[in-house]
Amino acid sequence: MVVRVAILDDYQQVALTTADWSSIADQIQVDVFTDTLSDEDSLAKRLEPYEIICAMRERTKFLPLLLDRLPNLRLIATTGRVNRSIDVNYARKKGIYVSGTGNGGNSTVEHIWTLIMSVARHIVLEHINIRTSNPQWQTVVPMGLAGSTLGLIGVGRLGSETAKIAKVFGMKVIGWSPHLTPERAEAQGVEFIASKQELLSRSDIVSLHLVLSESTTKIINAADLDLMKASSFLINTSRGPLIDEAALVEALKNKKIAGAGLDVFEQEPLPLDHPLRFLDNVTLSPHNGYINETSYKVFWTSTVENIKGYLDGKPRSLLE
């Protein structure tokens, strides 16, 4: 009997081309969806026939209300080692396996620095000026990174890797998080800052590296943005809800900060009429910091292996 498989949110249509599916091709019928449905009724109706669903990270949420409406589902094959949009414990209780993959490469760190360099040197603005035949050849003065201060909110794996590169540019690196200790900061070569407020007021560039939780939601609010230098930039490649997005829009509109580089948003995909799309002091990317050619190959090759394990009666790479 052929097993029905749904591949969700494959925006770039790469799932079937970056891995070899031939080992299981005669056992499955695959449907690829390139859009994200946020309406639960529409999503449940779409997914109801499938025994296996392949999820790309956290683009679609699998919470109890949805899982209860998918009677045929037996395997969620997600990419990455962690997916906080899947209630793994509830899925397990319903007899649904949840498998994960490795990550592959260091894509997010690369993207963090892509955004930092883009905002500091106003690459997007100057690109638009050239492409639109602005007669003014140079319009802005780039920020010099050497001697400036990078403030890390969160000094875990990504934060510490970001710090290493900052040192190459001759930047001063300071760090704060709700649980950061002076000892951990010192081990990463980062100056420990005792308060979020001090870090924000001292930094020329602030970069967020926190896990989203109830305690970190909107950890950057309007009052925090008021503390930042008018010449400073805010970078977020972690999760959109870490920042009060409405407050950020107002800060950018009123030039309370110089700009922002954002890869993540409260709602994704970002609505077509969202005000962030129309500001000239923000650089936006579509939450692709964690992906590149290398990571896609790891994601989808491992996904094929996980599906094969399930079909052979030997589920593998199960998430806890």
Side-chain angles (χ1 to χ4, degrees), residues 99-154:
S99 66
T101 72
N103 290 317
N106 215 5
S107 179
T108 304
V109 176
E110 295 170 6
H111 201 81
I112 291 164
W113 278 98
T114 298
L115 286 178
I116 290 175
M117 297 298 291
S118 293
V119 300
R121 303 201 65 80
H122 305 276
I123 295 297
V124 173
L125 180 61
E126 293 291 46
H127 169 83
I128 292 172
N129 284 333
I130 294 172
R131 289 291 300 272
T132 57
S133 300
N134 186 334
Q136 181 66 39
W137 178 234
Q138 297 172 347
T139 63
V140 288
V141 178
M143 170 192 284
L145 295 183
S148 64
T149 298
L150 173 64
L152 302 175
I153 297 184

Side-chain angles (χ1 to χ4, degrees), residues 17-312:
T17 59
T18 55
D20 181 1
W21 293 72
S22 61
S23 63
I24 55 175
D26 60 347
Q27 298 174 268
I28 60 175
Q29 175 188 330
V30 180
D31 294 314
V32 178
F33 298 97
T34 59
D35 59 333
T36 296
L37 294 181
S38 56
D39 177 71
E40 190 169 292
D41 288 335
S42 300
L43 185 60
K45 183 177 180 181
R46 170 182 282 183
L47 300 183
E48 190 274 335
Y50 296 98
E51 183 174 338
I52 299 174
I53 294 175
C54 300
M56 171 51 74
R57 294 295 287 268
E58 299 172 10
R59 293 175 182 175
T60 293
K61 293 178 170 59
F62 288 90
L63 303 178
L65 288 177
L66 177 60
L67 293 172
D68 284 341
R69 300 177 66 177
L70 302 178
N72 298 305
L73 182 59
R74 294 294 176 268
L75 173 67
I76 301 174
T78 185
T79 56
R81 295 187 179 93
V82 177
N83 189 330
R84 293 181 176 84
S85 290
I86 300 174
D87 191 326
V88 176
N89 290 330
Y90 192 79
R92 188 184 301 117
K93 291 176 183 177
K94 293 185 67 68
I96 300 169
Y97 298 108
V98 182
S99 66
T101 72
N103 290 317
N106 215 5
S107 179
T108 304
V109 176
E110 295 170 6
H111 201 81
I112 291 164
W113 278 98
T114 298
L115 286 178
I116 290 175
M117 297 298 291
S118 293
V119 300
R121 303 201 65 80
H122 305 276
I123 295 297
V124 173
L125 180 61
E126 293 291 46
H127 169 83
I128 292 172
N129 284 333
I130 294 172
R131 289 291 300 272
T132 57
S133 300
N134 186 334
Q136 181 66 39
W137 178 234
Q138 297 172 347
T139 63
V140 288
V141 178
M143 170 192 284
L145 295 183
S148 64
T149 298
L150 173 64
L152 302 175
I153 297 184
V155 191
R157 181 182 66 84
L158 291 175
S160 60
E161 290 295 322
T162 301
K164 291 178 184 177
I165 298 172
K167 299 293 184 64
V168 175
F169 285 110
M171 299 182 75
K172 180 180 181 62
V173 186
I174 60 178
W176 172 88
S177 80
H179 306 293
L180 183 66
T181 64
E183 293 75 20
R184 285 177 51 207
E186 183 179 7
Q188 302 300 339
V190 173
E191 179 186 341
F192 174 79
I193 300 298
S195 72
K196 175 180 63 172
Q197 291 75 18
E198 182 184 353
L199 179 136
L200 292 170
S201 65
R202 286 180 54 184
S203 298
D204 298 299
I205 298 174
V206 175
S207 187
L208 301 180
H209 306 282
L210 296 175
V211 172
L212 181 64
S213 66
E214 185 175 342
S215 64
T216 61
T217 297
K218 295 188 178 180
I219 198 167
I220 300 296
N221 56 36
D224 296 318
L225 292 166
D226 285 342
L227 294 172
M228 295 178 64
K229 300 177 183 179
S231 59
S232 66
F233 296 94
L234 180 63
I235 307 295
N236 189 11
T237 57
S238 294
R239 290 295 180 271
L242 292 173
I243 300 174
D244 183 333
E245 199 164 82
L248 176 60
V249 169
E250 288 305 307
L252 291 167
K253 281 183 177 178
N254 296 320
K255 304 296 193 285
K256 290 183 177 179
I257 62 175
L262 307 175
D263 186 49
V264 289
F265 310 91
E266 285 186 3
Q267 181 181 345
E268 298 179 9
L270 191 66
L272 297 179
D273 60 351
H274 197 286
L276 282 172
R277 290 180 179 265
F278 305 101
L279 298 175
D280 62 5
N281 56 346
V282 60
T283 297
L284 309 174
S285 56
H287 199 166
N288 61 2
Y290 65 95
I291 54 174
N292 58 23
E293 292 178 345
T294 302
S295 59
Y296 269 147
K297 288 177 182 177
V298 172
F299 285 162
W300 292 113
T301 298
S302 297
T303 294
V304 171
E305 294 170 353
N306 291 342
I307 294 174
K308 187 176 189 308
Y310 166 79
L311 295 173
D312 291 342

